[in-house]
Amino acid sequence: MDMLGQNSEISDAATHVDVLVVGAGISGIGAAWHLKDQCPNKSFLILEKKDTFGGTWVTHTYPGIRSDSDLYTFGYRFKPWTSAPIASAGEILKYMGEVIEENGIDKHIRYGHTITAAHFSRADNLWTVEATENASGEKKRFTANFLWMCQGYYSHENPYTPEWEGMDDFGGEIIHPQLWPEDAKLKDKRVLVIGSGATAATLVPAIAGEVEHVTLLQRSPTYFWPAPNVNELADTLREIEIDEEIIHPIVRKKILFDQLQTTSRCKTEPEVVKEELLGGVREFLGEDFDIETHFTPKYRPWQQRLAFVPDGDLFQGIASGKASIVTDTIERFTEKGVRLNSGEEIEADVIVTATGFNLSVLGDIPFSVDGAPVSWPETITYRGMMFTGVPNMVWIFGYFRASWTLRVDIVSDFVCGLLNHMDATGARRVEVALRPEDADMTIGPWVDPEDFNPNYLMRDMHLLPKAGDKPEWRHTQDYWTECDVIPAIDLEGAEFVYTADRARAEREPATAK
């Protein structure tokens, strides 16, 4: 019997489902596919704040917006990717749209719903989610046995922009890439892009051909990895007429194997990898270019995200003279542009602040359990997906050093296995709790800053759940370990605390403790 599907004393005003998925981005659509495939008897809905699917690929509309992970691993394991490894936002949205259409997921999505609160009752083993329908302003209630958070990890409406002195003095336009205006006019203008990450590296070559000149201003350098936007193995297999359903998993495994080697070498021989990366830049800019100043970070490779530059387009723009790069810090904005701490003034008509985003923990939704507010920094994470004291809920938080979607597939397998296990054992509730052997465990931040320390995490780490010093109680960020460990999780392990269905519990003792 489908124990999670039982529903008693649900208000007529609420829409009830077995599983409520939050977010119709890359995570939510993947979760929906796995539910249909592995839990076909479960009812589910996806609540999406936007008016369409796509998440980050809808939020960002700046010129040149593209993936910085290859689509053989950023795409789902169940749907072959058939184009160039690095894809535009439009190509990714088309791919996601095909997944939705081919699997009938569209009928499960409720667009334009902003969630305002989420409450869990242990008395009823039920989530109640309150939402507002954006178009009408109507308040809606949804109840679910299980809540699956797939909304990502950054604020889509509130990007991060430092408060520089004199910003109001600037006579031109200031644009954040996350809030790109439809009527932005850059043609024949002098553009200053402030930033050093993947967004800046994408935007600069995309606009270099139309502007008078574009200057990339970075406070500190980033490691870039220039390479052709092709996959020779995939192209060879296609040339000998191998089916795409066979090509996809083979190429996916080869890419993951190569990424593992690179990630390992970044720790075991960082100086060698560093010189290889800088050598790739020199191939485009020449030996006389000041690589030391502009492209040599102070940290080791992969201590922050390694930005892929397809075909070296960023460096091609610099080499052509249409783009230039300056490494310095900003003293203040002026009427004509920005003045640097070196004393130099960069004049511009448009300034683009590609300065990153603000972290959003569980969508910044107010959560409560049995009437008590949930404070996420007071919880401890179980493998970066469940949290102590918060029952019947999983959050998909992907990888930094590998494609986000790899973890979507892994966590989805776990969730579906957990739901089916609960049905088989008659459990209505599951939560994670520290075991006796964890009593003296050292508790620390979500991510070890010595291992990975991008600014957006360092700024808001205090908002995230805590982690322990044992692998069960942290988000390891290690796909190559998790792809073996998570499928092998013992769902009867001591860290899982189950509660049986109330009606069944009155008849017999719970079968899972």
Side-chain angles (χ1 to χ4, degrees), residues 153-172:
Y153 70 119
Y154 72 91
S155 171
H156 287 243
E157 295 78 22
N158 180 33
Y160 175 71
T161 302
E163 289 296 325
W164 286 291
E165 183 181 353
M167 292 180 75
D168 291 340
D169 298 336
F170 179 58

Side-chain angles (χ1 to χ4, degrees), residues 96-261:
M96 292 179 65
E98 290 172 356
V99 172
I100 292 171
E101 182 179 359
E102 290 166 2
N103 298 281
I105 294 172
D106 53 333
K107 64 184 178 184
H108 296 274
I109 306 176
R110 300 292 182 269
Y111 294 116
H113 282 70
T114 299
I115 296 175
T116 56
H119 315 281
F120 186 81
S121 166
R122 286 192 177 92
D124 299 321
N125 293 320
L126 202 66
W127 280 101
T128 299
V129 172
E130 300 172 7
T132 300
E133 189 174 42
N134 299 340
S136 66
E138 183 180 353
K139 307 297 181 183
K140 300 287 188 70
R141 279 204 316 134
F142 299 85
T143 57
N145 306 100
F146 199 91
L147 185 60
W148 198 345
M149 301 299 293
C150 298
Q151 82 303 324
Y153 70 119
Y154 72 91
S155 171
H156 287 243
E157 295 78 22
N158 180 33
Y160 175 71
T161 302
E163 289 296 325
W164 286 291
E165 183 181 353
M167 292 180 75
D168 291 340
D169 298 336
F170 179 58
E173 186 177 12
I174 300 175
I175 302 173
H176 193 288
Q178 194 171 308
L179 304 175
W180 197 266
E182 291 184 9
D183 59 350
K185 296 179 176 59
L186 303 182
K187 185 174 175 56
D188 298 329
K189 292 188 176 181
R190 298 165 301 171
V191 180
L192 173 62
V193 178
I194 302 173
S196 59
T199 299
T202 298
L203 183 59
V204 169
I207 65 175
E210 65 170 310
V211 301
E212 178 183 323
H213 188 80
V214 55
T215 302
L216 174 60
L217 172 60
Q218 58 180 7
R219 183 180 64 181
S220 59
T222 294
Y223 283 112
F224 292 106
W225 177 25
N229 189 18
V230 297
N231 186 285
E232 293 182 358
L233 174 58
D235 291 344
T236 298
L237 293 174
R238 290 187 182 112
E239 187 177 357
I240 60 176
E241 300 181 343
I242 302 298
D243 290 342
E244 292 291 347
E245 288 74 15
I246 298 174
I247 293 174
H248 186 67
I250 291 174
V251 173
R252 187 178 171 96
K253 285 186 177 181
K254 178 62 167 65
I255 290 172
L256 289 170
F257 176 82
D258 292 343
Q259 289 177 350
L260 173 59
Q261 304 307 305

Side-chain angles (χ1 to χ4, degrees), residues 210-420:
E210 65 170 310
V211 301
E212 178 183 323
H213 188 80
V214 55
T215 302
L216 174 60
L217 172 60
Q218 58 180 7
R219 183 180 64 181
S220 59
T222 294
Y223 283 112
F224 292 106
W225 177 25
N229 189 18
V230 297
N231 186 285
E232 293 182 358
L233 174 58
D235 291 344
T236 298
L237 293 174
R238 290 187 182 112
E239 187 177 357
I240 60 176
E241 300 181 343
I242 302 298
D243 290 342
E244 292 291 347
E245 288 74 15
I246 298 174
I247 293 174
H248 186 67
I250 291 174
V251 173
R252 187 178 171 96
K253 285 186 177 181
K254 178 62 167 65
I255 290 172
L256 289 170
F257 176 82
D258 292 343
Q259 289 177 350
L260 173 59
Q261 304 307 305
T262 300
T263 302
S264 299
R265 292 181 62 228
C266 286
K267 293 183 177 181
T268 59
E269 47 181 9
E271 289 302 315
V272 176
V273 176
K274 172 183 173 180
E275 288 307 312
E276 291 174 358
L277 293 171
L278 298 183
V281 178
R282 288 191 185 94
E283 288 185 11
F284 287 93
L285 298 181
E287 293 294 333
D288 295 333
F289 193 89
D290 191 355
I291 301 292
E292 178 67 27
T293 297
H294 300 303
F295 293 107
T296 307
K298 296 180 175 65
Y299 54 88
R300 63 170 172 78
W302 259 134
Q303 202 169 13
Q304 296 185 19
R305 190 164 177 84
L306 178 59
F308 183 77
V309 180
D311 301 314
D313 56 5
L314 170 63
F315 311 116
Q316 290 187 50
I318 294 173
S320 72
K322 292 291 291 180
S324 57
I325 185 167
V326 176
T327 303
D328 203 341
T329 51
I330 295 173
E331 178 188 327
R332 61 166 293 130
F333 277 52
T334 66
E335 181 181 354
K336 295 181 179 180
V338 299
R339 186 163 65 239
L340 307 177
N341 281 312
S342 63
E344 178 186 0
E345 183 173 15
I346 302 176
E347 296 187 358
D349 304 304
V350 178
I351 296 178
V352 180
T353 55
T355 46
F357 49 79
N358 286 310
L359 208 63
S360 172
V361 180
L362 280 303
D364 295 323
I365 298 165
F367 279 77
S368 65
V369 175
D370 293 338
V374 174
S375 172
W376 296 111
E378 295 177 17
T379 68
I380 299 172
T381 185
Y382 174 74
R383 299 191 183 277
M385 54 187 181
M386 297 179 74
F387 309 94
T388 54
V390 184
N392 288 19
M393 194 200 78
V394 164
W395 184 23
I396 289 185
F397 195 113
Y399 296 114
F400 297 124
R401 295 192 180 101
S403 292
W404 182 276
T405 322
L406 292 167
R407 204 161 200 262
V408 173
D409 285 328
I410 291 176
V411 173
S412 295
D413 287 341
F414 169 80
V415 171
C416 292
L418 179 62
L419 294 175
N420 291 333

